[in-house]
């Protein structure tokens, strides 16, 4: 099936006489006839549901759809994109380990890595999205366990050279984790370029209507953990909390990563998505391909308008032929990138704030990437914790505005921007 059909029909397939729409299993718990039946679930000897903190059938059907969209072997939903990125890294990196991450990433992820996970004893080296093969190689250490980057960085809008990062990761015997939130599998499937694990904040385009915070992790099933068994003891040696099962032995390369994340991390941290939110996410996914097309058309038109505006210092949108990442976009995002356009305004922080105050169609929101156009000044919001040097390294200048084109008519968005520019 093509991606459009998978958006609509992937995941849940009703049997004869069953509901056409995905049922919401609004139940914390599941019933069994004998304690023996239940014991098998606790031993991971049988698959099934027992408590929604770990797994819920509604969530699993939606994860299955995203898994099909990305072309993976297993997937799980999480309560947020933050939880997805935390689980994806923490599933294979422990205290004393090290991770190489692209510096152009979402502010929340940067904070998670550079502050919170460092407190847990995991070290991170941040590399420029424009680094060379040699610079990338130099970032690895003997205790490196993963490489992390975003297909299209939020909000810097740099495009990750997925093959370059995947090759470096694989030369050093570690997987590449790609946060594919902005591109969505409609526009890029990182597994096709060598990525091993994909994460999403489903809060953005996948939900698409600003209705539910959520996340997802998908495993490509391609990374052979057993080849580097000494590096990944969590996947390749017995888990005492499940009577000594070995994830790679019992669930294979295609299932080990997600089973471990579910049975250990979800069990212990409980960042489960509510089945209600998973239902809404599934509705969003059904129109993802249609919406992405309009988001990209609007993004292109707004980016072109901004490039011709003399009050604008620069525009970042990889769909513009002059954009620094246009050549990478042609390779990895041939059908379009996303609806988010970043631009720097002349007159610094003050001008940025004034322009935004005068917008009427676009509202100021921390949110991004949904049906309604919204905008944000990252330096005073999502990236507030960074100093000026870190802001520049992340591609987030103090005069930068992140403008997220919704699916309205582009002429209205441009007229709104024009009247706001006229006031400064
Ligand atoms: C928003 C976002 C996140 C965090 O997701 P939440 O759902 O807000 O927790 C992670 N990565 C990217 C690229 C994002 O845009």
């Amino acid at each position: 099936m093509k991606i459009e059909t998978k958006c609509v029909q992937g995941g849940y397939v009703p049997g004869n006489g069953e509901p056409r729409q995905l049922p919401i299993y609004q139940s914390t718990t599941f019933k069994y006839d004998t304690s023996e039946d239940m014991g098998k679930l606790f031993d991971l000897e049988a698959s099934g549901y027992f408590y929604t903190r770990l797994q819920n059938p509604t969530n699993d059907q939606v994860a299955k759809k995203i898994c099909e969209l990305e072309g993976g072997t297993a997937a799980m939903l999480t309560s947020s994109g933050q939880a997805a990125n935390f689980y994806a890294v923490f599933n294979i990196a422990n205290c004393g380990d090290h991770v190489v991450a692209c510096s152009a990433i979402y502010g929340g992820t940067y904070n998670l890595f550079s502050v919170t996970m460092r407190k847990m004893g995991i070290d991170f080296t941040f590399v420029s999205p424009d680094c060379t093969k040699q610079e990338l190689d130099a970032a690895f250490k003997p205790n490196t366990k993963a490489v992390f980057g975003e297909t299209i960085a939020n909000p810097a809008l740099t495009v990750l050279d997925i093959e370059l990062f995947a090759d470096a990761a694989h030369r050093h015997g570690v997987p590449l984790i790609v946060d594919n939130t902005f591109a969505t599998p409609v526009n890029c499937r990182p597994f096709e370029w060598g990525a091993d694990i994909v994460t999403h904040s489903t809060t953005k385009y996948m939900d698409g209507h600003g209705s539910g915070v959520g996340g997802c992790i998908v495993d490509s099933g391609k990374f052979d953990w057993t080849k580097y068994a000494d590096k990944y003891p969590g996947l390749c040696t017995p888990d005492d909390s499940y009577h000594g099962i070995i994830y790679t032995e019992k669930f294979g390369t295609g299932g080990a990563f997600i089973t471990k994340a579910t049975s250990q991390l979800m069990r212990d941290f409980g960042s489960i998505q509510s089945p209600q939110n998973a239902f809404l996410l599934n509705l969003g996914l059904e129109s993802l391909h249609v919406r992405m097309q309009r988001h990209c058309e609007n993004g292109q038109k707004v980016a072109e308008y901004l490039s011709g505006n003399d009050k604008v210092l620069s525009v970042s949108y990889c769909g513009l032929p002059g954009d620094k990442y246009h050549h990478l976009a042609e390779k990895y995002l041939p059908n379009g990138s996303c609806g988010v356009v970043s631009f720097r305004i002349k007159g610094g922080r003050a001008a940025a704030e004034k322009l935004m105050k005068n917008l009427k169609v676009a509202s100021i929101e921390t949110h991004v990437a949904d049906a309604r156009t919204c905008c944000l000044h990252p330096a005073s919001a999502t990236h507030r914790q960074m100093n000026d040097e870190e802001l520049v390294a992340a591609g987030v200048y103090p005069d930068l505005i992140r403008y997220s084109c919704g699916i309205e008519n582009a002429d209205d968005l441009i007229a709104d921007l024009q009247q706001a520019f006229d006031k400064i």
Side-chain angles (χ1 to χ4, degrees), residues 80-82 85 106 109 150 154 179 181-182 201 203-204 213-214:
S80 67
Q82 286 297 104
N85 283 328
Y106 176 64
T109 310
E150 291 177 9
N154 175 12
D179 180 332
T181 297
F182 268 21
S201 165
T203 317
K204 314 295 165 53
V213 171

Side-chain angles (χ1 to χ4, degrees), residues 136-138 140-141 144 167-174 228 231-232:
L136 196 47
D137 278 334
F140 285 82
K141 298 180 182 183
T144 302
D167 287 348
H170 298 158
R171 268 200 307 285
H172 292 87
V174 306
Y228 309 99
K231 261 193 224 178
Y232 301 105

Side-chain angles (χ1 to χ4, degrees), residues 225-237:
W225 310 102
T226 57
K227 202 168 155 196
Y228 309 99
D230 51 334
K231 261 193 224 178
Y232 301 105
L235 286 158
C236 304
T237 58

Side-chain angles (χ1 to χ4, degrees), residues 406-424:
I407 54 175
E408 303 94 337
N409 187 301
D411 294 344
D412 291 334
L413 303 183
I414 292 168
D416 183 41
L417 281 161
Q418 186 59 52
Q419 63 79 27
F421 273 112
D422 289 343
K423 296 197 174 92
I424 55 170

